[in-house]
Amino acid sequence: MSEKLHIKDHIDLFKNEDYVELFENKKQYESAETAEKVAEILEWTKTEEYKKINFERKDLVVNPLKGCQPLGAYYAAIGFEKTMPFLHGSQGCASYFRSHFMRHFREPFPGSCDAMTEDAAVFGGHNALYLGLQNTHELFKPDMIAICTSCMAEVIGDDLNNFIKNAKDEDYIPKDFPVTYAHTPSFVGSHVVGYDAMIHGILEQMGEVSETKNDKINVIMGFDTYIGNFEEIKRIFDLFGAELNLISDPSEVLNSPTDGDYQMYVGGTPLDAIKDAPNSKSAILMQKYSSVKTKELLESWGQTVKVVSPYGIAGTDDLMMAISELTGKPVPAQLEKERGQLVDAIADSYYWIHGKTFGINGDPDQSLGLTRFIMELGAEPVHVLVTNGTKAWGKECEELLASSEFGAGGKAYPGRDMWHYRSLLFTEPVDYIIGNSYSKYLERDTGTPLVRIGFPLQDRHHLHRAATMGYKGGVQMLTWIVNEILDDVDDKTKDGPSYDLLR
Amino acid sequence: MPKKNVNDHGVEVMEEILDGYNDKTKKDRKKKLDVVKADDVKCGIVANRKIRPGVMSMRGCAYAGAKGVVFGPIKDMIHISHGPVGCGQYSWGARRNFANGTVGIDNYVPMQITSDFQEKDIVFGGDKKLSNLIMEANTLFPLNKGVSVLSECPIGLIGDDIEAVSRQTSKEIEKPVIPCRCEGFRGVSQSLGHHIANDSLRDWVYEKDLEGAPIEDSPYNVALLGDYNIGGDAWSSRKILEAMGLNVIAQSTGDASMSEIANTSKAKLILIHCYRSMNYISRYLEEKHGTPWVEFNFFGPTQIFKSMRAIAEKFDDTIKAKTEAAIKLYEPQFQKIVEKYKPRLEGKNCMLFVGGLRPRHTIPAFRDLGVQVGITGYEFAHNDDYARTLEYVDQTTFIVDDMNEYEMEKLIENFKPDLVGSGIKEKYSTQKSGIPFRQMHSWDYSGPYHGLDGFAVFARDMDMAVNGPVWKHLTPPWK
């Protein structure tokens, strides 16, 4: 190799003197504010006064933590065998959903759409849908197409049921080809509601109710983007010797090998398993707020439905007891051992965590699970902020906080965004925050170290592969939390004698 | 399947791809594929047409073009994604438009600001909400220099009057409020969004003669247009322009300020990098103020030197001399980069499918490193882009407009390129097919790629992609 070249990319390059000068020179053309003025306003944004104004806003939303319904619907759909998620709406939406997921999973995320344009807005989107279904069916050869809608389609009021019927009557797709649909208006709820709508639609339209019931337990994970959780739930059911019907399982399609032969469809819930879903005696839902309509449907089929939040010790205990109760089988010794291993790990680590204060943001169910878990560690949740949390979520979160002495200083913030959160972190600072990658801006602005748990995680690699639920998932989350704290302790002590080898 | 080459098998593969379609789709896609020879003067592609439904196109929408490309990078304006939450959410921070400033205080680029439409807003209209939230934003972000209102799909369907709200609120906050009707259903791709955003700037900035910072008059005042400062591109380009003796009085829209946007009209010459997305403003300013404009290409030494000289031609001997001096200084530096990386990349074949001008603009930069681009295509080009592409083609080349997932899979399967440069949606399926990949929209979180400093990073990254040891392990030793 020739002479060593010192190539600087954006990380170092713009610290070079020539660029620093260039930036300084550019300011004359920018009408830039003086450094003093910027500093003054920056300080003002940290005050109680600013927080008050910030919390009084009615219409402006700044840095929210939620996606729209069809995003969740796309995610629900991809977990079924050879199923193509399909958006009835503008091309841009489909491209956005796919990019958003791919930045998180670093995996292909197939998804089709009918690319509606202005004429569809005027005359209805039926022609686009017919051709879209035909091309998707012919080119990508799925076994099922699961349709959701963009806000455009919802505003013009397209009738999907009728359109699909016509597409079959007019032979765009075979009459016996399964096409399901869910209306997923972006201006109602969030991605967790869209997830629910899609699962509900698929089960309701594909399910075949029969006279005989079976012992398989329907399990629905909800909008859970930790691939390891799907593996973990299968392992837990295996250990129990319980029969599992996992409704929507993207764990293979979003974790496929690189071997030179790309496969668009891998794994997923078999279509026969969906058809049989109504005939289970029972179901377990791992999330509450992404399964509201689905729960009603399962109950209408006469199923015993248990809703759990299997994070940490008590949360996972609930899951164990639910499976045990529904199957009549005892909790397996292996899982009891794993429980002991989680208790063991917490006993090893909690001295670093106990009494530390936390801010938590994320999706409704995940935030509740995390809040309960960190209270088990003796930490104190101070802010639990969930943009797509409803009033009911807020009430449940307040009750959860009140259930522990460690939650006494905590408050739930449903419907608030990250700019509200920024004010909170300045006026009522916490030791650590737990959240998704967007929280890195708050980590920087407020100097509060961040533990990355949530969705999306675009700025760190492979975290989504882990399990966060179950006893093993508890050990994983504990590892992330305690080591972030220890990194912070090292950082704070690096110039002094407390820079200990032993922590 | 054995590896084919475009020269011998291009037409045959094209036929095979088309035969996979039904008649209606085939008829349409036939106009979007072509295999051109080095000496061809015409490309048969009819571009800028509607996407066929259901083919998994890689395009985005008008909003993506207006917010994501043109408005989003202007740093001291508040850009409101007006409508439901998703569009702003998924485009938040996704284009890596670098900007200096304090986030949330005098730089709002890495933020997602939205009206988060709810059902009641659809039913009763969102004008009142818009008006109120602009006032709220102005209070919370007092150093903002203006506001843009970027419409999402529902706005155009429910008949809101964002222009009236913009006029009214602009008076109240005494700053420009610029409405932009970039609903995602308009047009056929991002491209119309660029055009609409350019028109919004025309009507609400230039037609209103908004003033920027006072500028000292000089024959060397230029504006750098159509550089979005991805990974710092515009800064790397600006460094060269300054070395040539030019004053870059406005840079847009990467790391741009409202002042620079307004002052673009005061430049003596407009230098435009991404012609596709900002030519409308250049043409308008030429018409209104007689400001001439010139295209340039700062990817790779061959084009950089050519462009520097073409720009210098528009100025006096002082600039010409400084330009030659700069080239003399850069030459050995480029040489070092080429010496290191060309032997590692020589003879490799690349497939590109990107937006803007990159499907042709980067061909010479690859060629500087010994890499041939045998397949290329644009997400949202117009017919003239294909004619212009031929200027860059020196071998039989497979050209595709609005490529979709099915076509991409077929092309990769048949031609097995050594490297693919495209977007995030194409990255992981390509890698799973065993082909090295670089994202050529976001520079795969690297950059800059423009200019001298950028070419070094570009060369390093392409080498990393092609010569990463992981690609030797696709097949286990026991197979």
Side-chain angles (χ1 to χ4, degrees):
Chain A
M1 212 175 278
S2 57
E3 184 193 344
K4 184 93 185 140
L5 276 176
H6 295 284
I7 293 172
K8 288 187 178 179
D9 60 19
H10 62 95
I11 297 163
D12 299 310
L13 181 65
F14 301 120
K15 293 174 191 153
N16 280 2
E17 210 172 305
D18 49 356
Y19 281 104
V20 173
E21 260 174 49
L22 182 148
F23 298 149
E24 204 47 47
N25 177 49
K26 183 173 181 290
K27 280 187 184 158
Q28 64 178 304
Y29 304 114
E30 294 179 343
S31 268
E33 297 291 340
T34 61
E36 293 73 35
K37 187 73 192 169
V38 171
E40 178 200 322
I41 299 297
L42 176 61
E43 287 312 308
W44 176 58
T45 65
K46 300 176 183 176
T47 61
E48 280 289 347
E49 180 198 352
Y50 188 86
K51 178 181 144 190
K52 189 164 174 286
I53 304 171
N54 193 6
F55 271 75
E56 277 167 3
R57 67 185 143 99
K58 296 265 185 299
D59 294 308
L60 179 72
V61 175
V62 183
N63 299 351
L65 286 166
K66 62 174 177 180
C68 58
Q69 278 209 49
L71 179 91
Y74 247 49
Y75 188 59
I78 206 171
F80 294 93
E81 188 175 54
K82 289 199 80 178
T83 295
M84 181 65 87
F86 188 104
L87 178 86
H88 177 52
S90 161
Q91 172 66 43
C93 312
S95 288
Y96 273 145
F97 307 151
R98 298 183 63 208
S99 314
H100 199 60
F101 282 123
M102 290 194 214
R103 290 184 180 116
H104 173 82
F105 291 109
R106 298 173 203 269
E107 294 287 331
F109 198 104
S112 192
C113 78
D114 55 11
M116 280 165 73
T117 50
E118 208 148 5
D119 52 347
V122 178
F123 302 111
H126 47 282
N127 281 327
L129 186 69
Y130 301 158
L131 297 172
L133 289 174
Q134 183 188 22
N135 279 328
T136 297
H137 176 251
E138 288 172 359
L139 295 174
F140 305 112
K141 303 180 173 52
D143 285 353
M144 179 164 93
I145 295 176
I147 307 178
C148 55
T149 50
S150 79
C151 46
M152 174 192 184
E154 288 299 320
V155 171
I156 64 176
D158 277 354
D159 178 357
L160 285 179
N161 190 21
N162 214 18
F163 288 1
I164 295 167
K165 193 174 162 295
N166 292 345
K168 291 185 173 182
D169 287 347
E170 293 170 32
D171 293 326
Y172 288 98
I173 40 167
K175 293 203 168 42
D176 58 353
F177 182 79
V179 179
T180 67
Y181 69 93
H183 288 281
T184 50
S186 304
F187 42 82
V188 177
S190 73
H191 58 285
V192 299
V193 174
Y195 183 93
D196 189 24
M198 191 56 127
I199 296 285
H200 177 273
I202 289 174
L203 287 180
E204 189 184 48
Q205 293 154 40
M206 293 289 290
E208 294 174 1
V209 182
S210 81
E211 289 299 305
T212 46
K213 297 284 173 194
N214 64 58
D215 288 331
K216 280 187 287 184
I217 299 174
N218 289 322
V219 168
I220 297 166
M221 301 291 276
F223 190 89
D224 182 339
T225 51
Y226 282 94
I227 292 305
N229 285 344
F230 293 83
E231 303 301 335
E232 184 60 9
I233 215 71
K234 284 185 253 188
R235 195 182 65 90
I236 289 171
F237 268 73
D238 269 352
L239 288 167
F240 260 99
E243 287 181 82
L244 167 67
N245 192 14
L246 187 54
I247 307 291
S248 183
D249 173 13
S251 62
E252 287 193 59
V253 73
L254 295 176
N255 190 16
S256 70
T258 285
D259 56 7
D261 182 21
Y262 167 57
Q263 300 293 324
M264 186 175 273
Y265 309 106
V266 199
T269 306
L271 301 196
D272 284 343
I274 321 172
K275 288 180 188 159
D276 204 24
N279 306 313
S280 291
K281 287 178 199 146
S282 59
I284 303 178
L285 308 179
M286 303 291 166
Q287 292 185 354
K288 179 177 176 181
Y289 294 94
S290 63
S291 305
V292 177
K293 277 174 72 181
T294 303
K295 182 167 181 278
E296 286 171 15
L297 178 66
L298 295 168
E299 284 170 344
S300 78
W301 285 330
Q303 300 183 10
T304 307
V305 182
K306 298 213 177 259
V307 184
V308 293
S309 176
Y311 296 95
I313 305 170
T316 307
D317 290 347
D318 291 344
L319 173 64
M320 295 300 127
M321 291 189 286
I323 301 174
S324 184
E325 206 177 300
L326 293 174
T327 58
K329 296 182 178 191
V331 176
Q334 170 64 25
L335 289 166
E336 196 171 310
K337 185 171 91 185
E338 288 173 16
R339 183 182 191 279
Q341 288 167 332
L342 173 58
V343 174
D344 181 83
I346 294 173
D348 295 344
S349 304
Y350 82 89
Y351 298 101
W352 290 102
I353 309 170
H354 191 102
K356 295 284 185 295
T357 54
F358 278 79
I360 292 171
N361 63 54
D363 278 342
D365 289 284
Q366 180 216 323
S367 301
L368 291 173
L370 269 169
T371 301
R372 189 174 177 187
F373 180 54
I374 68 158
M375 292 196 297
E376 284 178 347
L377 305 177
E380 296 168 16
V382 175
H383 315 297
V384 187
L385 184 135
V386 173
T387 305
N388 51 351
T390 56
K391 272 187 190 148
W393 173 87
K395 192 163 168 278
E396 185 177 353
C397 188
E398 294 285 358
E399 282 165 12
L400 174 65
L401 291 166
S403 71
S404 161
E405 60 170 311
F406 299 100
K411 194 167 178 312
Y413 294 92
R416 298 295 186 175
D417 58 42
M418 301 265 280
W419 201 254
H420 293 117
Y421 199 17
R422 185 177 180 276
S423 275
L424 288 173
L425 291 178
F426 279 125
T427 54
E428 299 160 70
V430 293
D431 296 316
Y432 300 99
I433 51 176
I434 304 180
N436 59 20
S437 289
Y438 297 122
S439 315
K440 76 187 290 178
Y441 295 118
L442 292 175
E443 182 182 36
R444 176 184 61 184
D445 288 0
T446 68
T448 320
L450 165 67
V451 184
R452 283 175 176 78
I453 302 177
F455 170 85
L457 297 167
Q458 310 107 314
D459 72 331
R460 290 293 182 274
H461 292 211
H462 308 304
L463 294 175
H464 73 277
R465 294 176 190 272
T468 53
M469 62 171 50
Y471 300 121
K472 276 184 178 291
V475 175
Q476 177 65 74
M477 290 201 293
L478 173 68
T479 307
W480 288 331
I481 292 167
V482 73
N483 285 334
E484 177 63 38
I485 292 175
L486 293 175
D487 281 347
D488 178 49
V489 170
D490 276 355
D491 193 51
K492 282 177 178 149
T493 59
K494 63 178 182 255
D495 300 321
S498 339
Y499 190 71
D500 269 341
L501 183 65
L502 310 181
R503 300 281 195 210
Chain B
M1 193 186 283
K3 179 175 173 156
K4 294 174 184 164
N5 74 61
V6 174
N7 193 46
D8 300 335
H9 301 282
V11 175
E12 163 199 324
V13 170
M14 182 169 73
E15 295 299 331
E16 189 197 315
I17 288 172
L18 290 170
D19 286 342
Y21 287 121
N22 58 54
D23 291 348
K24 264 187 175 169
T25 304
K26 182 176 179 175
K27 197 174 152 206
D28 177 81
R29 291 306 301 166
K30 212 173 170 171
K31 298 176 207 152
K32 308 290 186 287
L33 307 177
D34 201 2
V35 176
V36 299
K37 304 266 181 218
D39 49 1
D40 279 359
V41 286
K42 254 186 86 179
C43 177
I45 286 174
V46 183
N48 199 25
R49 295 290 188 271
K50 266 173 78 167
I51 301 161
R52 293 307 296 177
V55 299
M56 267 209 257
S57 164
M58 295 157 190
R59 282 180 175 172
C61 61
Y63 165 88
K67 189 263 189 176
V69 177
V70 179
F71 272 103
I74 305 173
K75 62 184 177 182
D76 54 5
M77 287 184 86
I78 291 169
H79 307 293
I80 295 163
S81 293
H82 188 38
V85 74
C87 317
Q89 202 72 6
Y90 315 133
S91 54
W92 181 5
R95 267 182 59 84
R96 305 187 63 240
N97 307 109
F98 285 9
N100 284 321
T102 306
V103 176
I105 309 301
D106 65 346
N107 167 18
Y108 314 103
V109 176
M111 297 174 73
Q112 134 69 334
I113 300 176
T114 174
S115 49
D116 187 14
F117 253 44
Q118 301 299 305
E119 195 154 22
K120 64 174 180 359
D121 304 314
I122 301 284
V123 177
F124 300 110
D127 284 345
K128 227 175 131 186
K129 179 182 192 131
L130 177 62
S131 164
N132 190 42
L133 76 85
I134 290 171
M135 305 309 288
E136 288 176 344
N138 194 50
T139 307
L140 284 171
F141 307 108
L143 299 187
N144 81 81
K145 299 293 171 58
V147 175
S148 72
V149 179
L150 302 153
S151 298
E152 300 168 9
C153 287
I155 306 305
L157 299 171
I158 62 174
D160 274 11
D161 190 352
I162 61 167
E163 288 79 9
V165 174
S166 298
R167 267 189 292 272
Q168 183 56 34
T169 49
S170 177
K171 269 185 216 146
E172 288 172 48
I173 67 172
E174 297 175 333
K175 290 170 189 172
V177 178
I178 305 178
C180 183
R181 291 250 173 215
C182 55
E183 287 88 349
F185 59 77
R186 294 194 197 278
V188 300
S189 71
Q190 295 91 312
S191 187
L192 188 67
H194 307 143
H195 196 151
I196 294 169
N198 278 226
D199 287 353
S200 290
L201 290 173
R202 176 195 66 199
D203 295 343
W204 296 78
V205 176
Y206 303 112
E207 284 293 306
K208 291 182 186 299
D209 294 317
L210 295 186
E211 291 280 334
I215 301 279
E216 197 181 324
D217 194 41
S218 155
Y220 306 142
N221 285 351
V222 297
L224 167 53
L225 228 66
D227 192 325
Y228 302 103
N229 206 31
I230 292 163
D233 277 342
W235 295 330
S236 181
S237 292
R238 186 184 184 100
K239 192 169 132 181
I240 294 178
L241 298 173
E242 288 183 357
M244 290 166 63
L246 302 172
N247 308 323
V248 185
I249 63 159
Q251 182 182 309
S252 86
T253 57
D255 192 36
S257 55
M258 192 64 215
S259 164
E260 288 165 90
I261 299 288
N263 277 340
T264 303
S265 59
K266 291 186 185 155
K268 295 294 189 295
L269 177 69
I270 290 174
L271 310 172
I272 182 160
H273 205 259
C274 182
Y275 170 88
R276 180 73 280 131
S277 55
M278 291 204 87
N279 74 83
Y280 317 99
I281 283 189
S282 319
R283 290 176 183 283
Y284 161 78
L285 290 175
E286 183 177 40
E287 209 171 284
K288 187 177 180 197
H289 297 286
T291 318
W293 53 272
V294 58
E295 279 191 74
F296 73 111
N297 176 357
F298 268 6
F299 286 109
T302 305
Q303 285 296 325
I304 291 174
F305 293 154
K306 198 174 156 191
S307 294
M308 285 171 75
R309 289 187 170 118
I311 293 166
E313 269 310 305
K314 309 278 180 189
F315 294 94
D316 61 13
D317 287 347
T318 317
I319 298 294
K320 282 180 196 147
K322 281 190 177 172
T323 299
E324 286 308 319
I327 289 175
K328 212 170 163 194
L329 193 72
Y330 295 155
E331 260 172 344
Q333 299 178 46
F334 275 119
Q335 196 53 38
K336 268 189 199 162
I337 300 164
V338 171
E339 267 167 24
K340 173 163 182 185
Y341 291 107
K342 194 170 177 182
R344 300 173 58 76
L345 292 165
E346 184 97 60
K348 300 292 179 192
N349 240 296
C350 175
M351 165 172 161
L352 287 177
F353 184 75
V354 221
L357 301 194
R358 283 163 288 195
R360 67 170 178 272
H361 255 179
T362 59
I363 291 176
F366 278 109
R367 208 177 284 147
D368 286 333
L369 295 169
V371 177
Q372 288 300 323
V373 176
I375 308 167
T376 193
Y378 299 78
E379 245 183 80
F380 47 80
H382 295 204
N383 290 340
D384 56 335
D385 288 304
Y386 288 97
R388 301 285 309 275
T389 307
L390 294 182
E391 297 167 22
Y392 286 84
V393 162
D394 71 345
Q395 60 164 28
T396 306
T397 305
F398 201 117
I399 303 189
V400 190
D401 180 64
D402 182 20
M403 194 188 289
N404 57 54
E405 183 113 351
Y406 157 75
E407 290 169 2
M408 184 146 197
E409 242 181 75
K410 285 275 176 204
L411 290 169
I412 286 179
E413 185 183 297
N414 279 285
F415 298 120
K416 297 186 173 59
D418 301 305
L419 173 67
V420 172
S422 192
I424 180 84
K425 297 191 293 301
E426 296 74 63
K427 175 168 175 151
Y428 299 105
S429 52
T430 305
Q431 290 192 164
K432 284 186 198 288
S433 304
I435 312 263
F437 187 98
R438 287 298 296 183
Q439 289 184 63
M440 291 296 283
H441 297 261
S442 67
W443 306 150
D444 231 316
Y445 322 134
S446 175
Y449 281 180
H450 290 177
L452 169 65
D453 293 330
F455 181 66
V457 181
F458 172 79
R460 179 200 70 181
D461 289 355
M462 297 311 140
D463 172 41
M464 270 204 283
V466 171
N467 295 311
V470 68
W471 303 114
K472 296 193 176 80
H473 295 288
L474 295 173
T475 313
W478 55 88
K479 266 194 163 174

